[in-house]
Amino acid sequence: MNAAIETAVAGDALVRASGLTIAYGAKRAVDEIAFTIPKGRVVGLLGHNGAGKSTLMKAMVGLLPSAGELQVLGLDPRRERVRLLESTCYIPDVAILPRWARVRELITMMSGLHPRFSAERARELLRRTSVGLDAKVSSLSKGMIVQAHLALVASIDARLMILDEPTLGLDVLSRKAFYEMLIGEWCDGERSVLISTHQVEEIENLLSDVMMLNEGKLVLSIALDDIESRYTVLGHDAAVADAIAAAHPLLRYRTGPGPQGNAALFEGEPPPAVQALGRRLRPSLVDLFVALTRKPELDRTQF
Protein backbone atom coordinates (compact mmCIF):
# COMPACT_ATOMS: atom_id res chain seq x y z
CA MET A 1 0.00 0.00 0.00
CA ASN A 2 1.31 3.44 -0.94
CA ALA A 3 0.71 5.48 2.20
CA ALA A 4 2.42 7.49 4.87
CA ILE A 5 0.73 5.16 7.34
CA GLU A 6 2.71 2.28 5.83
CA THR A 7 6.11 4.00 5.63
CA ALA A 8 6.47 5.43 9.12
CA VAL A 9 9.88 4.93 10.69
CA ALA A 10 9.92 2.52 13.59
CA GLY A 11 10.49 5.21 16.21
CA ASP A 12 7.30 7.02 15.22
CA ALA A 13 5.01 3.99 15.16
CA LEU A 14 2.39 3.97 17.92
CA VAL A 15 0.48 1.03 16.40
CA ARG A 16 1.89 -1.76 14.28
CA ALA A 17 -0.09 -4.70 12.89
CA SER A 18 0.87 -7.47 10.48
CA GLY A 19 -1.20 -10.47 9.45
CA LEU A 20 -3.73 -9.39 12.06
CA THR A 21 -6.76 -11.67 12.22
CA ILE A 22 -9.66 -11.53 14.67
CA ALA A 23 -12.29 -14.26 14.50
CA TYR A 24 -15.61 -15.07 16.09
CA GLY A 25 -15.65 -18.81 15.74
CA ALA A 26 -15.29 -19.60 12.03
CA LYS A 27 -16.03 -16.04 10.93
CA ARG A 28 -13.08 -13.70 10.41
CA ALA A 29 -14.21 -10.23 11.43
CA VAL A 30 -10.73 -8.87 10.66
CA ASP A 31 -8.84 -10.83 8.03
CA GLU A 32 -5.02 -10.67 7.85
CA ILE A 33 -4.60 -6.91 7.74
CA ALA A 34 -1.39 -4.91 8.10
CA PHE A 35 -1.00 -1.23 8.98
CA THR A 36 1.09 1.22 10.97
CA ILE A 37 -0.03 4.39 12.74
CA PRO A 38 2.80 6.89 13.38
CA LYS A 39 2.71 9.56 16.04
CA GLY A 40 1.02 12.87 15.31
CA ARG A 41 -1.67 11.51 13.00
CA VAL A 42 -5.48 11.71 12.91
CA VAL A 43 -6.61 8.52 11.20
CA GLY A 44 -10.17 7.92 10.04
CA LEU A 45 -11.32 4.30 10.15
CA LEU A 46 -14.14 3.84 7.65
CA GLY A 47 -16.31 0.87 6.79
CA HIS A 48 -19.90 -0.29 6.53
CA ASN A 49 -21.65 -1.72 9.58
CA GLY A 50 -20.11 -5.12 10.22
CA ALA A 51 -16.89 -4.34 8.35
CA GLY A 52 -14.75 -5.01 11.43
CA LYS A 53 -14.10 -1.49 12.76
CA SER A 54 -15.30 -2.00 16.34
CA THR A 55 -13.69 -5.43 16.47
CA LEU A 56 -10.33 -3.97 15.46
CA MET A 57 -10.57 -1.19 18.04
CA LYS A 58 -11.50 -3.59 20.82
CA ALA A 59 -8.51 -5.77 19.97
CA MET A 60 -6.26 -2.70 20.08
CA VAL A 61 -7.21 -2.07 23.72
CA GLY A 62 -6.99 -5.73 24.71
CA LEU A 63 -10.69 -6.57 24.84
CA LEU A 64 -10.50 -9.27 22.16
CA PRO A 65 -7.88 -11.90 21.34
CA SER A 66 -6.21 -11.82 17.94
CA ALA A 67 -3.83 -13.78 15.76
CA GLY A 68 -0.86 -12.35 13.93
CA GLU A 69 1.13 -9.36 15.15
CA LEU A 70 -0.44 -6.42 16.99
CA GLN A 71 1.58 -3.95 19.04
CA VAL A 72 0.12 -0.78 20.52
CA LEU A 73 2.66 1.62 22.04
CA GLY A 74 5.12 -1.25 21.83
CA LEU A 75 2.94 -3.47 24.03
CA ASP A 76 0.86 -6.60 23.54
CA PRO A 77 -2.72 -5.38 24.16
CA ARG A 78 -3.85 -8.64 25.81
CA ARG A 79 -0.83 -9.52 27.94
CA GLU A 80 0.13 -5.96 28.88
CA ARG A 81 -3.31 -4.32 28.99
CA VAL A 82 -2.86 -2.54 32.31
CA ARG A 83 0.32 -0.82 31.12
CA LEU A 84 -1.28 -0.06 27.76
CA LEU A 85 -4.30 1.68 29.27
CA GLU A 86 -2.03 4.03 31.20
CA SER A 87 -1.18 5.71 27.88
CA THR A 88 -4.24 4.94 25.73
CA CYS A 89 -7.72 6.50 25.76
CA TYR A 90 -10.71 4.58 24.43
CA ILE A 91 -14.29 5.72 23.92
CA PRO A 92 -16.62 2.94 22.67
CA ASP A 93 -19.60 3.56 20.42
CA VAL A 94 -21.85 4.20 23.43
CA ALA A 95 -20.70 6.80 25.96
CA ILE A 96 -21.69 5.44 29.37
CA LEU A 97 -21.31 7.42 32.59
CA PRO A 98 -22.93 6.57 35.95
CA ARG A 99 -26.27 8.39 35.96
CA TRP A 100 -26.24 8.94 39.72
CA ALA A 101 -22.96 10.88 39.73
CA ARG A 102 -22.37 14.59 39.47
CA VAL A 103 -19.72 15.76 37.02
CA ARG A 104 -17.37 16.93 39.77
CA GLU A 105 -17.67 13.48 41.35
CA LEU A 106 -16.61 11.90 38.07
CA ILE A 107 -13.48 14.04 38.12
CA THR A 108 -12.72 12.87 41.65
CA MET A 109 -13.29 9.26 40.65
CA MET A 110 -11.00 9.58 37.62
CA SER A 111 -8.29 11.16 39.78
CA GLY A 112 -8.30 8.04 41.94
CA LEU A 113 -8.53 5.57 39.07
CA HIS A 114 -5.96 6.81 36.57
CA PRO A 115 -2.43 7.89 37.49
CA ARG A 116 -2.10 10.17 34.44
CA PHE A 117 -5.44 11.95 34.77
CA SER A 118 -5.40 15.72 35.33
CA ALA A 119 -8.39 17.04 37.28
CA GLU A 120 -7.34 20.62 36.50
CA ARG A 121 -7.32 19.94 32.79
CA ALA A 122 -10.71 18.24 32.99
CA ARG A 123 -12.24 21.26 34.71
CA GLU A 124 -10.67 23.56 32.10
CA LEU A 125 -12.06 21.53 29.20
CA LEU A 126 -15.50 21.33 30.79
CA ARG A 127 -15.57 25.13 31.20
CA ARG A 128 -15.56 25.31 27.39
CA THR A 129 -18.72 23.23 27.17
CA SER A 130 -22.28 23.62 28.43
CA VAL A 131 -21.70 20.94 31.07
CA GLY A 132 -21.68 22.25 34.65
CA LEU A 133 -19.60 20.64 37.38
CA ASP A 134 -22.62 20.27 39.65
CA ALA A 135 -24.82 18.70 36.98
CA LYS A 136 -25.94 15.13 37.45
CA VAL A 137 -25.30 12.79 34.54
CA SER A 138 -28.99 11.84 34.59
CA SER A 139 -29.87 15.46 33.76
CA LEU A 140 -27.52 15.77 30.79
CA SER A 141 -28.52 15.43 27.15
CA LYS A 142 -26.80 12.83 25.01
CA GLY A 143 -24.63 15.50 23.44
CA MET A 144 -23.59 16.83 26.84
CA ILE A 145 -22.73 13.32 28.03
CA VAL A 146 -20.48 12.85 25.00
CA GLN A 147 -18.81 16.21 25.68
CA ALA A 148 -18.27 15.28 29.33
CA HIS A 149 -16.93 11.87 28.36
CA LEU A 150 -14.45 13.38 25.91
CA ALA A 151 -13.32 16.00 28.43
CA LEU A 152 -12.61 13.29 30.99
CA VAL A 153 -10.79 11.04 28.55
CA ALA A 154 -8.84 13.91 26.96
CA SER A 155 -7.56 14.83 30.42
CA ILE A 156 -5.50 11.64 30.52
CA ASP A 157 -1.90 12.24 29.49
CA ALA A 158 -2.05 9.54 26.82
CA ARG A 159 -0.31 8.98 23.51
CA LEU A 160 -3.15 7.34 21.59
CA MET A 161 -6.90 7.98 21.54
CA ILE A 162 -9.26 5.39 20.01
CA LEU A 163 -12.78 6.63 19.30
CA ASP A 164 -15.52 4.32 18.03
CA GLU A 165 -18.40 6.34 16.54
CA PRO A 166 -18.06 8.98 19.29
CA THR A 167 -20.70 11.33 17.84
CA LEU A 168 -23.33 8.70 17.06
CA GLY A 169 -26.80 10.23 17.45
CA LEU A 170 -25.59 13.79 18.03
CA ASP A 171 -26.88 16.81 16.14
CA VAL A 172 -24.58 18.69 13.80
CA LEU A 173 -23.71 21.46 16.31
CA SER A 174 -22.79 18.92 18.99
CA ARG A 175 -20.65 17.00 16.50
CA LYS A 176 -18.86 20.19 15.47
CA ALA A 177 -18.14 21.11 19.11
CA PHE A 178 -16.85 17.59 19.76
CA TYR A 179 -14.38 17.65 16.88
CA GLU A 180 -13.22 21.19 17.69
CA MET A 181 -12.41 20.10 21.24
CA LEU A 182 -10.71 16.95 20.03
CA ILE A 183 -8.46 18.59 17.45
CA GLY A 184 -7.88 21.85 19.32
CA GLU A 185 -7.20 20.46 22.76
CA TRP A 186 -5.74 17.00 22.32
CA CYS A 187 -3.81 16.71 19.06
CA ASP A 188 -0.33 18.17 19.48
CA GLY A 189 1.82 16.51 16.82
CA GLU A 190 2.97 13.73 19.17
CA ARG A 191 -0.31 12.01 20.01
CA SER A 192 -2.44 10.16 17.49
CA VAL A 193 -6.16 9.58 17.13
CA LEU A 194 -7.93 6.66 15.46
CA ILE A 195 -11.57 7.56 14.89
CA SER A 196 -14.35 5.49 13.40
CA THR A 197 -17.30 7.40 11.97
CA HIS A 198 -20.02 7.36 9.31
CA GLN A 199 -19.96 11.18 9.03
CA VAL A 200 -17.17 11.07 6.46
CA GLU A 201 -17.79 14.50 4.94
CA GLU A 202 -17.70 16.19 8.36
CA ILE A 203 -14.29 14.91 9.39
CA GLU A 204 -12.45 14.69 6.06
CA ASN A 205 -10.74 18.05 6.62
CA LEU A 206 -9.60 16.94 10.11
CA LEU A 207 -7.89 13.73 9.00
CA SER A 208 -4.28 13.17 8.03
CA ASP A 209 -4.84 9.55 6.99
CA VAL A 210 -7.63 7.11 6.25
CA MET A 211 -8.05 3.35 6.58
CA MET A 212 -10.99 1.57 4.93
CA LEU A 213 -12.25 -1.85 5.94
CA ASN A 214 -14.54 -3.98 3.80
CA GLU A 215 -15.74 -7.34 5.13
CA GLY A 216 -12.70 -7.58 7.37
CA LYS A 217 -10.17 -6.70 4.68
CA LEU A 218 -8.14 -3.48 4.67
CA VAL A 219 -8.88 -2.11 1.19
CA LEU A 220 -7.17 1.25 1.61
CA SER A 221 -4.56 2.75 3.92
CA ILE A 222 -3.32 6.11 2.73
CA ALA A 223 -2.37 9.64 3.74
CA LEU A 224 -4.89 12.17 2.46
CA ASP A 225 -2.03 14.12 0.87
CA ASP A 226 -1.33 11.10 -1.35
CA ILE A 227 -4.86 10.52 -2.62
CA GLU A 228 -4.64 12.80 -5.64
CA SER A 229 -1.41 11.16 -6.80
CA ARG A 230 -2.97 7.69 -6.59
CA TYR A 231 -6.54 8.34 -7.79
CA THR A 232 -7.93 10.47 -10.62
CA VAL A 233 -11.45 11.83 -10.96
CA LEU A 234 -12.64 13.07 -14.35
CA GLY A 235 -15.76 15.16 -14.64
CA HIS A 236 -17.29 14.71 -18.07
CA ASP A 237 -20.30 15.28 -20.30
CA ALA A 238 -22.90 12.60 -20.92
CA ALA A 239 -21.91 12.50 -24.59
CA VAL A 240 -18.54 10.86 -23.76
CA ALA A 241 -19.87 8.55 -21.03
CA ASP A 242 -19.44 5.39 -23.13
CA ALA A 243 -15.84 6.23 -23.98
CA ILE A 244 -15.09 6.93 -20.31
CA ALA A 245 -16.75 3.65 -19.27
CA ALA A 246 -14.65 1.73 -21.79
CA ALA A 247 -11.54 2.75 -19.82
CA HIS A 248 -12.89 0.76 -16.83
CA PRO A 249 -13.02 3.33 -14.03
CA LEU A 250 -13.45 2.13 -10.44
CA LEU A 251 -16.66 4.13 -10.16
CA ARG A 252 -19.01 6.20 -12.32
CA TYR A 253 -21.40 8.58 -10.62
CA ARG A 254 -23.40 11.77 -10.85
CA THR A 255 -22.07 15.03 -9.45
CA GLY A 256 -25.05 17.22 -10.30
CA PRO A 257 -27.96 17.81 -12.66
CA GLY A 258 -27.64 18.19 -16.40
CA PRO A 259 -25.48 16.50 -19.03
CA GLN A 260 -22.23 17.80 -17.49
CA GLY A 261 -22.89 16.33 -14.06
CA ASN A 262 -21.01 13.07 -14.56
CA ALA A 263 -17.75 11.81 -13.08
CA ALA A 264 -15.52 8.75 -13.17
CA LEU A 265 -12.97 7.66 -10.58
CA PHE A 266 -9.79 5.88 -11.72
CA GLU A 267 -6.93 4.31 -9.82
CA GLY A 268 -3.83 5.91 -11.27
CA GLU A 269 -3.81 7.93 -14.47
CA PRO A 270 -6.27 6.96 -17.22
CA PRO A 271 -4.92 6.93 -20.78
CA PRO A 272 -4.19 10.42 -22.20
CA ALA A 273 -6.98 10.06 -24.75
CA VAL A 274 -9.45 9.46 -21.92
CA GLN A 275 -8.07 12.35 -19.85
CA ALA A 276 -8.73 14.63 -22.79
CA LEU A 277 -12.44 13.79 -22.60
CA GLY A 278 -12.92 15.27 -19.13
CA ARG A 279 -11.76 17.73 -16.51
CA ARG A 280 -9.94 16.80 -13.31
CA LEU A 281 -11.86 16.94 -10.04
CA ARG A 282 -10.64 16.36 -6.52
CA PRO A 283 -11.26 12.80 -5.28
CA SER A 284 -13.39 12.72 -2.13
CA LEU A 285 -13.32 10.14 0.65
CA VAL A 286 -16.99 9.42 0.07
CA ASP A 287 -16.37 8.55 -3.59
CA LEU A 288 -13.36 6.40 -2.70
CA PHE A 289 -15.36 4.65 -0.01
CA VAL A 290 -18.17 3.82 -2.41
CA ALA A 291 -15.72 2.65 -5.08
CA LEU A 292 -13.73 0.37 -2.78
CA THR A 293 -16.49 -1.07 -0.60
CA ARG A 294 -19.58 -1.33 -2.82
CA LYS A 295 -20.79 -4.66 -4.10
CA PRO A 296 -19.46 -5.31 -7.62
CA GLU A 297 -22.88 -5.31 -9.25
CA LEU A 298 -23.70 -1.81 -7.99
CA ASP A 299 -22.84 1.42 -9.78
CA ARG A 300 -23.84 4.84 -8.57
CA THR A 301 -25.03 5.73 -12.06
CA GLN A 302 -28.05 3.57 -11.22
CA PHE A 303 -29.26 5.90 -8.48
Side-chain angles (χ1 to χ4, degrees):
M1 292 180 180
N2 178 22
I5 295 182
E6 296 298 326
T7 58
V9 298
D12 284 346
L14 301 186
V15 182
R16 187 178 299 279
S18 178
L20 178 63
T21 298
I22 308 165
Y24 296 99
K27 177 178 172 53
R28 289 189 172 192
V30 173
D31 193 0
E32 294 190 5
I33 68 172
F35 64 92
T36 303
I37 299 178
K39 68 180 181 180
R41 313 298 285 183
V42 181
V43 183
L45 180 62
L46 309 182
H48 297 293
N49 291 332
K53 305 185 301 299
S54 295
T55 295
L56 174 59
M57 289 180 157
K58 288 176 181 177
M60 289 173 63
V61 293
L63 292 174
L64 291 175
S66 62
E69 178 189 355
L70 175 60
Q71 285 197 336
V72 181
L73 307 182
L75 303 171
D76 181 297
R78 291 285 282 182
R79 291 189 291 105
E80 301 172 282
R81 187 166 186 257
V82 173
R83 287 181 59 198
L84 174 64
L85 294 182
E86 291 179 0
S87 299
T88 304
C89 304
Y90 170 57
I91 297 182
D93 54 356
V94 178
I96 300 175
L97 297 174
R99 293 179 57 80
W100 52 264
R102 296 188 184 275
V103 174
R104 66 171 66 255
E105 293 171 334
L106 295 176
I107 294 175
T108 302
M109 290 168 58
M110 286 292 294
S111 298
L113 289 172
H114 204 292
R116 304 183 72 172
F117 176 79
S118 169
E120 180 179 352
R121 177 168 173 78
R123 286 189 286 268
E124 170 60 27
L125 292 179
L126 285 165
R127 277 194 287 269
R128 305 180 190 188
T129 72
S130 54
V131 181
L133 293 178
D134 288 321
K136 271 194 171 184
V137 172
S138 59
S139 70
L140 300 178
S141 68
K142 184 171 183 177
M144 294 167 75
I145 290 175
V146 172
Q147 287 182 327
H149 202 163
L150 178 63
L152 292 169
V153 171
S155 299
I156 298 171
D157 183 18
R159 298 171 62 197
L160 176 67
M161 183 180 287
I162 298 172
L163 305 174
D164 188 0
E165 292 286 354
T167 61
L168 191 66
L170 299 188
D171 61 54
V172 63
L173 292 179
S174 296
R175 295 197 300 267
K176 187 174 186 296
F178 177 92
Y179 290 125
E180 285 179 350
M181 178 187 288
L182 174 67
I183 300 300
E185 301 299 332
W186 203 81
C187 299
D188 60 2
E190 293 293 320
R191 299 162 166 170
S192 288
V193 179
L194 177 65
I195 181 167
S196 166
T197 182
H198 288 294
Q199 277 98 31
V200 182
E201 300 97 326
E202 290 186 8
I203 70 164
E204 182 169 357
N205 66 327
L206 306 178
L207 302 178
S208 61
D209 307 86
V210 65
M211 295 165 51
M212 292 185 187
L213 284 173
N214 187 39
E215 298 183 350
K217 295 286 190 180
L218 187 62
V219 295
L220 184 67
S221 179
I222 194 169
L224 264 66
D225 288 344
D226 294 336
I227 287 178
E228 289 192 62
S229 63
R230 180 167 170 181
Y231 295 95
T232 302
V233 174
L234 291 180
H236 61 87
D237 297 341
V240 298
D242 289 343
I244 294 283
H248 304 294
L250 292 175
L251 181 71
R252 293 183 297 134
Y253 56 99
R254 297 284 297 169
T255 59
Q260 295 183 332
N262 299 276
L265 170 67
F266 295 86
E267 183 168 10
E269 295 281 342
V274 174
Q275 292 188 50
L277 299 175
R279 57 201 176 279
R280 280 185 176 261
L281 303 175
R282 179 180 176 275
S284 74
L285 284 187
V286 171
D287 297 332
L288 277 174
F289 180 72
V290 173
L292 297 175
T293 66
R294 80 193 193 287
K295 293 188 181 299
E297 65 271 16
L298 294 182
D299 190 302
R300 281 177 61 184
T301 56
Q302 299 174 10
F303 302 110

